[in-house]
Amino acid sequence: MRSAVVVGAGLGGMAVAGALARSGWQVTLLEKADRVRPEATAVVLWPNGVRALRALGLGAGLDAIATPLPDGGIRRPDGQWLVQPRPTPAERMPVVVHREDLHDALIAGLGEQVELRTGVSVRSVRTTAGERPAVGDGRHLFEADLVVAADGTHSEIRRQLAPETAVVSSGCAAWRAVIPWYAAPQLPDDQPVHGETLGAGYRFVAASLGERGTAGASRRGGIYWVATAAGAPRPEPPEIQLALLKRWFAGWPAPIATLLEATDPADVVQQEVRELRPLPRSYGFTAGPGGVVLLGDAAHAMPPHLGQGACLAFEDAATLAGLLRESRLPDAVTAYDRLRRPRAATMVRQTRRMSAVLQTRGRLALRARDAALGTISPRLRNTAAAAAADWQPPS
């Protein structure tokens, strides 16, 4: 039986661990935290992410928890439209999923062939010729035919195998929260939840997780929002952070103030947005009879402005699982690198272009951006949507 060690029990790590286990692999999943638990926020999945989850055999579970996310357009802080809402073809419409629901689906997909070990901080990686690849935590050595580094933006495995890559700030921080339906405000019909509002270095996006009253044993519902602001994360406690958000977004179009007022400070999750510059020169490293691959944020951490982080992680997992069904190790490791590096570079490049548009500051620059946004933003979004829609898992 072939064996794999997956480092990191995030979305991508659990997805690939479950896929390998269902293909007959013996899998050890290592997580440095003492418990595996997700943020109580949500994630947007574009068609490529949905297609990847279906290729991984998780489509049925996704259908039960996903909510379609129509185009809500883009407004200025004064309420004027920068980009009017547009109809979105069903095949290009993203969905929004509560992270805890998605986590539950991935946990259910692990099966009995996955050994989950928590509290393991990987400190070393071995890629010596003639020996099986391995990782160690200073006390134990975990060796297998394949090692998958899904250990996030600050991956220790990537640091050792791709030292040319650095983690840098994207110049902004993000706050996320889900207002559960029992606490969510009842909004009038002329205040749609879906939509994006864009100011000078500030952005607010909101979406509904299902319809009010649809939450149940297999689905968590509510209103999901994300706020981003230029600058570093705030050191204050959540109550003060939420008060700052209310001040920064005061006077912005409804229902932003209403949503912030209805948010429990304990539900707000703050994150400094970081990315990799440059991207690693390789995503696959052969070692003995197998090798090591980089997956998810460990390979291509990027700003969230096009919502492709989780989608690319699921693409990575589906690509790796498909190659391992069709190819022998270490050929699959080499093929994975060949397929994933240009794909990731394309999506990162488009995300950075959108990031430059969204983070525009200064009066003259803002006027130029707002005047051109009706053309620039749809073009960038359509390019990204086309690239996402065109991706197919390896057959």
Side-chain angles (χ1 to χ4, degrees):
M1 178 182 291
R2 294 186 293 180
S3 62
V5 172
V6 179
V7 183
L11 298 181
M14 287 196 295
V16 74
L20 294 179
R22 290 190 295 276
S23 296
W25 286 61
Q26 181 180 351
V27 181
T28 301
L29 178 58
L30 306 179
E31 169 56 41
K32 67 179 180 180
D34 292 330
R35 294 178 59 191
V36 178
R37 56 184 176 187
E39 296 176 351
T41 60
V43 60
V44 173
L45 298 176
W46 289 82
N48 54 319
V50 173
R51 192 174 296 123
L53 285 173
R54 295 193 187 285
L56 291 165
L58 299 170
L62 179 64
D63 291 339
I65 58 177
T67 301
L69 184 59
D71 185 351
I74 305 176
R75 293 180 293 177
R76 296 194 329 189
D78 62 7
Q80 291 189 355
W81 287 105
L82 290 170
V83 181
Q84 291 276 355
R86 301 182 181 187
T88 304
E91 67 274 10
R92 290 197 174 183
M93 184 177 294
V95 299
V96 60
V97 184
H98 200 292
R99 277 185 177 267
E100 291 180 339
D101 287 337
L102 185 55
H103 176 268
D104 290 348
L106 293 172
I107 286 288
L110 291 180
E112 297 181 356
Q113 292 283 62
V114 177
E115 178 190 7
L116 174 60
R117 300 186 62 167
T118 59
V120 179
S121 296
V122 169
R123 300 178 180 177
S124 63
V125 55
R126 185 183 73 192
T127 56
T128 308
E131 294 186 285
R132 299 171 79 200
V135 293
D137 66 350
R139 297 176 301 172
H140 303 98
L141 189 68
F142 303 89
E143 65 175 23
D145 300 310
L146 175 70
V147 171
V148 180
D151 47 343
T153 303
H154 297 278
S155 168
E156 178 62 25
I157 296 176
R158 185 201 61 245
R159 189 189 68 80
Q160 296 185 32
L161 296 182
E164 72 278 3
T165 298
V167 179
V168 300
S169 172
S170 298
C172 62
W175 292 261
R176 297 177 173 85
V178 171
I179 309 170
W181 281 130
Y182 66 79
Q186 186 79 48
L187 300 174
D189 294 338
D190 61 351
Q191 293 184 15
V193 172
H194 299 297
E196 176 178 345
T197 309
L198 186 60
Y202 294 86
R203 182 188 186 208
F204 194 96
V205 183
S208 293
L209 287 163
E211 298 293 334
R212 188 181 296 271
T214 60
S218 63
R219 183 175 190 162
R220 297 165 176 87
I223 299 176
Y224 171 53
W225 61 257
V226 182
T228 56
R234 304 295 303 195
E236 297 89 353
E239 293 81 2
I240 296 179
Q241 291 184 30
L242 185 56
L244 286 171
L245 291 173
K246 293 176 182 178
R247 188 177 74 189
W248 292 341
F249 292 97
W252 284 42
I256 294 176
T258 303
L259 296 180
L260 291 175
E261 191 62 39
T263 302
D264 186 330
D267 293 334
V268 178
V269 177
Q270 180 188 212
Q271 174 191 13
E272 181 178 12
V273 180
R274 292 178 172 266
E275 59 187 284
L276 301 185
R277 285 182 182 264
L279 292 178
R281 287 196 290 262
S282 178
Y283 287 167
F285 307 84
T286 58
V292 179
V293 299
L294 305 180
L295 184 146
D297 284 346
H300 40 64
M302 68 186 78
H305 304 309
L306 289 178
Q308 283 295 321
C311 295
L312 285 186
F314 292 140
E315 280 189 25
D316 292 343
T319 299
L320 182 61
L323 290 172
L324 290 170
R325 285 194 296 268
E326 302 296 331
S327 306
R328 298 170 61 92
L329 284 170
D331 293 342
V333 173
T334 303
Y336 175 83
D337 173 61
R338 185 180 68 250
L339 291 174
R340 295 312 299 163
R341 260 193 311 121
R343 169 66 173 169
T346 296
M347 300 309 297
V348 167
R349 184 168 57 250
Q350 293 175 359
T351 297
R352 288 174 180 166
R353 288 173 180 169
M354 181 60 75
S355 178
V357 171
L358 297 180
Q359 296 189 48
T360 301
R361 305 183 75 180
R363 182 177 300 178
L364 294 178
L366 279 170
R367 286 180 179 175
R369 182 202 67 183
D370 291 352
L373 195 60
T375 301
I376 294 174
S377 181
R379 186 170 69 244
L380 288 175
R381 289 166 183 261
N382 289 341
T383 300
D390 290 342
W391 179 83
Q392 297 287 342
S395 58

